[in-house]
Amino acid sequence: MKTVTVSAPGKVILAGEHAVVYGYSAIVAAIDKRMKVTVKESKKVQEYSGLVRFALELMGEDKRGWDIKIDSQIPIGSGLGSSAALATALVWAIKPAAKIEEKDKLIKEIEDFAHGKSSGVDQTIVREGGFLRFRQGKFKKITLPISRAILIDSGRPAETTGEMVGLVARGNRERQMKQIGEIVNKWTVDKISLNEKLLEQIGVVGGKAKSMIRAVEAMGGQAKICGAGGVRTGSGMILAYAQNEDKLRQLIKDKNWPHMEVKFGGKGARYEG
Ligand code: PMV
């Protein structure tokens, strides 16, 4: 029986998360960390849980036996698009003959299951790779003057993306959303701090992440959360940027913060081998 392997990249939202749910633009980059999914039909029907189970049921493939191997460099639930990468890789691997529109529709339903109402930005960057400006389901490939970044881990959020989107919806945040939209339209790395201030105002950044970000700012850098965020515990990965990278690295070392370095502009989803 044929084995199919698909790899899909993680992503970092450089600007515009949450506002993108309200129809404003976001800019987003694929990263060089990937999720690899290998599937093979098997005689035995296995029990899966969570996203994989939902995806198999949705595709009408849950009564058939599948060996599914997941190999990931993308941390789970930290704002780096692990669910979009997994949904994409699974659908592409199990439905290789389906048209791209059909695959996209299935992935959107899986993303909605994992996230609540999703804007579609994650699955679009996972499919396309590179850098995109995304708005209301439409996107444009762009280039940006930033090729890599240091991500500091403020801890996995206790909330799901869906809960964070719901929390924002309960506030009256139109002014901040509009301002975030303006940042995206004229984005430069200097706008990272302002974007973060607005994310704090809409209430998606927790205390631990805020104090880490203040420390980066105190040494002359800029930082923001880069996903849905979280307030009860961690807020996911923090995108940190400083002209003086050595100083930023020293701070991270002194504080003993978990972190990872990523390159931007990774390739989109693809069949391997
Ligand atoms: O949790 P993440 O990193 O996949 O962030 C999702 C981005 C949001 O704007 C908060 C939600 C969305 O669907 O666009």
Side-chain angles (χ1 to χ4, degrees), residues 216-234:
V216 173
E217 288 168 352
M219 53 82 26
Q222 301 193 52
K224 68 178 268 291
I225 60 155
C226 49
V231 285
R232 288 211 299 275
T233 55

Side-chain angles (χ1 to χ4, degrees), residues 64-174:
R64 221 182 318 176
W66 291 101
D67 274 334
I68 300 174
K69 215 176 109 226
I70 301 167
D71 187 6
S72 183
Q73 304 168 320
I74 310 167
I76 293 165
S78 296
L80 299 188
S82 62
S83 70
L86 178 56
T88 302
L90 262 180
V91 168
W92 283 35
I94 288 184
K95 295 256 177 225
K99 287 204 180 81
I100 192 71
E101 295 79 11
E102 193 191 328
K103 288 183 174 117
D104 286 350
K105 203 164 158 264
L106 290 164
I107 297 162
K108 169 89 169 92
E109 278 190 54
I110 301 168
E111 276 285 87
D112 284 348
F113 163 78
H115 275 189
K117 183 174 169 277
S118 70
S119 66
V121 65
D122 285 12
Q123 71 177 94
T124 306
I125 188 69
V126 165
R127 186 186 71 217
E128 297 296 320
F131 294 90
L132 299 182
R133 180 183 294 277
F134 175 94
R135 186 178 186 184
Q136 293 180 333
K138 297 203 170 65
F139 68 89
K140 208 172 137 203
K141 295 222 165 198
I142 55 172
T143 53
L144 286 177
I146 180 168
S147 59
R148 62 202 171 92
I150 298 176
L151 303 178
I152 303 168
D153 192 357
S154 75
R156 192 171 163 179
E159 302 87 346
T160 62
T161 295
E163 282 165 354
M164 293 311 293
V165 170
L167 188 78
V168 173
R170 289 194 290 281
N172 180 10
R173 306 298 187 191
E174 192 45 42

Side-chain angles (χ1 to χ4, degrees), residues 193-208:
S193 286
L194 179 58
N195 195 164
E196 168 61 23
K197 294 277 150 2
L198 292 162
L199 288 165
E200 290 180 17
Q201 283 179 21
I202 66 171
V204 295
V205 188
K208 186 177 175 201

